C-alpha cells in the first residue's frame, strides 16, 4: 500500500487492510477503524511462521523396522489406506485423505527421517487445503459423485 491511500485497521486482530477490502485478510472480520491518508503501514507478519530448524532424529534399528513392516506395518497400512479412501470419497475430508496417503511410508516402516522443509504432514495438510480451495466446483463435487456412482455400479454389476 502506498502512503496517501486510505487504509483500514481491523478492530479484532489489528491487521492493516486496503481501503477497498470488505473483510480483514487476517481474521475475516468486517469491522474496521479508518486510518488517515498519511499513514504508512508497517510490514506485517506472514500467516504461517517460517519452519523451525529440526533436531536430528534417532532411527529405530533396521531389524526392528523390517520386522515391524512385515508383521504389523502391512496390516496397519491396509486399514490406513481403506480409511484414506473413505475420507477421499467424502468432500469434506479430502485434505485429510491426501495427507494420509503421503504418510503411508512412515506408517508402514516407522521411518523417523525428518521431512524436508515444506513436506511435513502439517505442511502437506496446508497445501492440500489450499489446493482444495483453488479447485473448480466440478473437481470438488462432480468428481467424487462420479467416483461413488462408479463404485455403486460396480457393486450392482458384481451382484448380478
Amino acid at each position: 500500500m502506498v502512503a496517501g491511500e486510505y487504509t483500514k485497521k481491523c478492530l479484532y486482530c489489528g491487521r492493516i487492510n486496503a481501503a477497498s477490502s470488505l473483510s480483514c485478510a487476517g481474521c475475516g472480520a468486517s469491522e474496521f477503524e479508518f486510518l488517515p491518508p498519511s499513514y504508512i503501514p508497517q510490514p506485517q507478519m506472514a500467516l504461517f511462521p517460517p519452519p523451525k530448524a529440526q533436531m536430528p532424529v534417532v532411527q529405530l534399528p533396521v531389524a526392528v523396522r523390517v520386522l515391524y513392516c512385515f508383521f504389523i506395518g502391512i496390516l496397519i497400512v491396509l486399514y490406513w489406506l481403506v480409511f484414506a479412501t473413505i475420507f477421499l470419497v467424502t468432500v469434506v475430508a479430502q485434505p485429510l485423505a491426501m495427507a494420509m496417503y503421503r504418510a503411508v511410508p512412515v506408517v508402514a516402516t516407522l521411518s523417523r527421517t525428518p521431512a524436508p522443509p515444506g513436506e511435513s504432514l502439517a505442511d502437506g495438510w496446508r497445501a492440500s487445503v489450499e489446493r482444495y480451495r483453488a479447485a473448480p466446483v466440478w473437481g470438488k463435487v462432480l468428481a467424487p459423485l462420479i467416483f461413488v456412482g462408479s463404485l455403486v455400479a460396480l457393486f450392482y454389476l458384481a451382484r448380478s
Side-chain angles (χ1 to χ4, degrees):
M1 287 181 266
V2 182
E5 182 180 302
Y6 283 98
T7 54
K8 300 177 183 178
K9 181 178 180 182
C10 178
L11 292 177
Y12 293 101
C13 69
R15 185 181 185 94
I16 305 299
N17 295 281
S20 60
S21 62
L22 298 176
S23 63
C24 177
C27 66
S30 60
E31 296 181 12
F32 297 101
E33 169 190 357
F34 287 98
L35 299 172
S38 61
Y39 180 79
I40 299 174
Q42 300 296 321
Q44 298 181 17
M45 290 180 44
L47 292 178
F48 299 110
K52 297 179 183 175
Q54 296 180 348
M55 299 286 294
V57 179
V58 178
Q59 281 284 5
L60 291 173
V62 175
V64 172
R65 289 178 39 214
V66 167
L67 290 174
Y68 168 82
C69 181
F70 283 116
F71 291 111
I72 300 170
I74 292 174
L75 184 64
I76 290 176
V77 164
L78 289 176
Y79 286 115
W80 187 266
L81 290 173
V82 166
F83 281 115
T85 305
I86 291 171
F87 291 153
L88 189 63
V89 171
T90 65
V91 175
V92 176
Q94 284 178 351
L96 176 62
M98 299 310 293
M100 287 177 73
Y101 282 128
R102 278 192 289 280
V104 165
V106 176
V107 172
T109 63
L110 293 180
S111 173
R112 292 186 180 176
T113 55
E119 292 187 16
S120 69
L121 191 59
D123 292 335
W125 172 263
R126 285 188 198 111
S128 294
V129 168
E130 290 304 317
R131 280 193 307 272
Y132 178 76
R133 287 181 181 162
V137 173
W138 64 268
K140 294 179 188 176
V141 178
L142 194 59
L145 288 177
I146 291 172
F147 178 71
V148 170
S150 62
L151 288 180
V152 170
L154 287 174
F155 174 74
Y156 281 114
L157 285 174
R159 282 187 49 196
S160 51

